[in-house]
């Protein structure tokens, strides 16, 4: 019998790519999503789809009463760092309280294996060139704080209730499945690559470059763009590990290479053949100059190998999605 995995937030950008990879690997997959930000069309082939809000404890309990799972992968969360500074209550409720309900219902039903979608935002401003998992944890926005609080809850639940979990701290998730059938569709969109490609497609007049006076070679911020399918493969490896050895751990997931905002725009011009006008704008609040991962641990312990190393290959895959779905899923 294939193992049955519940994916919360499975209709979102990263969740839907993980669902696709799990299905390819032969798992039975059910998706639980309130569809506030997710897209039903992105998970057409999952075994079961359940539109439930994790805050609805009654619905959640009866869901777990009638279904059984070998493990839960938890993606459902608010993700926009800027918005978190204006809406800390909503972020705490969704990212911490709703996750707390999920863990409690899992434990009530004897499920003790968990994979958590965390973030590099738990580190805050980097004090090292390459960020390892031992880097100090000092988030600079409420989004990162809620993710860190939840990681701490996982530690408490491991010690006291025997819950085994893997927390995966992603850097800049990007790209799309090469099928062109699923991709990034946030409303509002705030991420660099989709905004650049929306400009290429003609939906935006120009792309803002937030700051050209950073202490970097071309003056623009450097980020570690990691392809969403490379994230997905790491999730499956992490799941296998925690299912087999029941030990908790935390891993960075990044490419290990940084690309500047200007380099991303240049790559998009090459891939799309479009001009992509830019405007120089003020720095965006809370943006560190450089954020680059050291993912040695994930490679060593999980045997993970990212396949998309160049920014061009990442942008190419994203372009397949944006070119054929300029308005996203339209659901
Ligand atoms: N940027 C622009 N113009 C834009 C949008 C972004 O210049 O219109 C710049 C930003 O200032 C930043 C870079 O492009 O320097 C990347 O910005 P994104 O918004 O795409 O991504 P962030 O690095 O801000 O954050 C992302 C995720 C977070 C996660 C973080 C971890 O959105 O959830 O990566 O590194 F925590």
């Amino acid at each position: 019998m294939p193992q049955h995995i519940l994916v919360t937030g499975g209709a979102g950008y990263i969740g839907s790519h993980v669902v696709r990879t799990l299905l390819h690997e032969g798992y039975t997959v059910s998706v639980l999503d309130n569809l506030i930000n997710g897209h039903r069309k992105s998970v057409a082939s999952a075994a079961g789809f359940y539109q439930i809000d994790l805050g609805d404890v009654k619905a959640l309990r009866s869901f777990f009463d009638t279904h059984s799972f070998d493990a839960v992968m938890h993606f459902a969360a608010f993700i926009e760092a800027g918005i978190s500074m204006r809406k800390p209550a909503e972020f705490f409720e969704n990212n911490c309280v709703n996750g707390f309900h999920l863990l409690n219902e899992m434990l009530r039903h004897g499920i003790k294996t968990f994979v958590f979608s965390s973030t590099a935002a738990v580190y805050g401003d980097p004090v090292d060139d390459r960020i390892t998992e031992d880097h100090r944890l000092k988030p600079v926005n409420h989004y990162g704080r809620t993710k860190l609080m939840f990681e701490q809850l996982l530690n408490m639940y491991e010690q006291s209730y025997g819950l085994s979990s893997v927390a995966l701290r992603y850097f800049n998730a990007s790209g799309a499945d090469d099928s062109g059938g699923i991709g990034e569709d946030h409303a509002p969109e705030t991420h660099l690559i989709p905004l650049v490609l929306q400009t290429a497609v003609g939906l935006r007049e120009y792309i803002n470059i937030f700051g050209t006076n950073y202490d970097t070679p071309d003056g623009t911020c450097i980020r570690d763009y990691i392809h969403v399918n490379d994230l997905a493969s790491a999730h499956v490896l992490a799941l296998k590990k925690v299912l087999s050895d029941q030990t908790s751990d935390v891993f960075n997931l990044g490419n290990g290479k940084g690309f500047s905002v200007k380099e991303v725009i240049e790559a998009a011009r090459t891939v799309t053949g479009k001009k992509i006008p830019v405007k120089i704008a003020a720095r965006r609040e809370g943006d560190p100059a450089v954020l680059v991962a050291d993912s040695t641990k994930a490679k060593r312990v999980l045997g993970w190998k990212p396949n998309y190393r160049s920014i061009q290959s990442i942008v190419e895959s994203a372009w397949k999605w944006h070119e054929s779905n300029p308005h996203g899923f339209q659901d």
Side-chain angles (χ1 to χ4, degrees):
M1 264 266 283
Q3 285 169 312
H4 191 178
I5 312 300
L6 175 67
V7 182
T8 73
Y13 169 47
I14 301 171
S16 61
H17 284 80
V18 172
V19 167
R20 207 174 170 281
T21 306
L22 287 168
L23 290 169
H24 276 179
E25 296 258 339
Y27 291 93
T28 302
V29 182
S30 291
V31 168
L32 190 150
D33 199 300
N34 61 10
L35 294 183
I36 287 182
N37 291 314
H39 305 280
R40 179 68 185 89
K41 285 184 192 162
S42 70
V43 284
S45 47
F49 178 82
Y50 305 89
Q51 188 172 352
I52 295 173
D53 191 300
L54 292 173
D56 184 348
V57 180
K58 221 172 132 201
L60 196 60
R61 185 159 305 168
S62 71
F63 171 73
F64 275 104
D65 282 344
T66 48
H67 299 81
S68 64
F69 300 103
D70 296 286
V72 174
M73 301 177 92
H74 180 44
F75 295 87
F78 290 147
I79 58 159
E80 221 294 308
I83 299 174
S84 77
M85 300 308 289
R86 301 194 298 276
K87 300 186 169 178
E90 280 90 334
F91 272 68
F92 182 75
E93 182 177 30
N94 198 24
N95 296 3
C96 299
V97 178
N98 290 352
F100 164 77
H101 295 317
L102 173 67
L103 293 183
N104 293 342
E105 290 313 313
M106 283 172 53
L107 292 173
R108 199 187 291 276
H109 293 82
I111 305 164
K112 293 192 166 185
T113 309
F114 191 72
V115 176
F116 176 52
S117 165
S118 190
T119 172
V122 297
Y123 296 115
D125 286 326
V127 290
D128 303 314
D129 287 349
R130 292 268 179 293
I131 300 175
T132 64
E133 291 80 359
D134 302 327
H135 188 278
R136 72 169 187 199
L137 299 170
K138 205 175 169 206
V140 292
N141 53 57
H142 297 326
Y143 164 65
R145 291 187 185 107
T146 59
K147 288 284 182 175
L148 181 56
M149 281 189 251
F150 199 74
E151 283 195 17
Q152 287 163 344
L153 184 68
L154 291 177
N155 290 337
M156 288 159 57
Y157 273 37
E158 183 194 23
Q159 273 182 35
S160 303
Y161 302 137
L163 176 81
S164 303
S165 69
V166 175
L168 298 173
R169 295 176 181 158
Y170 328 143
F171 284 67
N172 290 58
S174 48
D177 187 64
D178 281 311
S179 65
I182 53 175
E184 201 163 1
D185 178 8
H186 298 119
E189 187 55 76
T190 60
H191 295 103
L192 180 65
I193 292 178
L195 289 175
V196 168
L197 296 179
Q198 286 175 2
T199 312
V201 112
L203 289 177
R204 292 173 191 271
E205 274 178 49
Y206 56 86
I207 178 79
N208 279 313
I209 299 183
F210 294 143
T212 52
N213 56 355
Y214 283 95
D215 187 15
T216 60
D218 69 15
T220 65
C221 286
I222 293 177
R223 292 289 179 274
D224 181 328
Y225 296 90
I226 171 78
H227 194 276
V228 65
N229 274 349
D230 284 332
L231 286 182
S233 65
H235 280 76
V236 176
L237 292 168
L239 173 72
K240 284 184 180 158
K241 182 177 180 296
V242 69
L243 276 167
S244 71
D245 67 15
Q246 296 293 313
T247 48
S248 296
D249 216 334
V250 49
F251 298 98
N252 281 345
L253 298 178
N255 213 335
K257 278 201 242 168
F259 296 98
S260 73
V261 173
K262 282 187 178 168
E263 284 174 323
V264 170
I265 296 169
E266 234 9 269
R269 285 177 176 145
T270 307
V271 166
T272 64
K274 311 278 182 189
K275 197 165 160 281
I276 314 185
V278 302
K279 251 195 192 172
I280 308 300
R283 287 182 176 200
R284 195 174 64 175
E285 202 191 341
D287 268 345
V290 182
L291 271 182
V292 181
D294 182 328
S295 304
T296 311
K297 186 179 168 195
K299 290 178 186 152
R300 182 173 41 82
V301 179
L302 300 175
W304 177 57
K305 283 195 206 89
N307 285 322
Y308 295 78
R309 301 310 308 274
S310 71
I311 190 64
Q312 191 144 333
S313 64
I314 292 176
V315 172
E316 245 162 40
S317 72
W319 179 234
K320 278 188 198 160
W321 162 252
H322 286 282
E323 198 183 18
S324 43
N325 304 276
H327 299 284
F329 288 98
Q330 294 193 286
D331 51 2

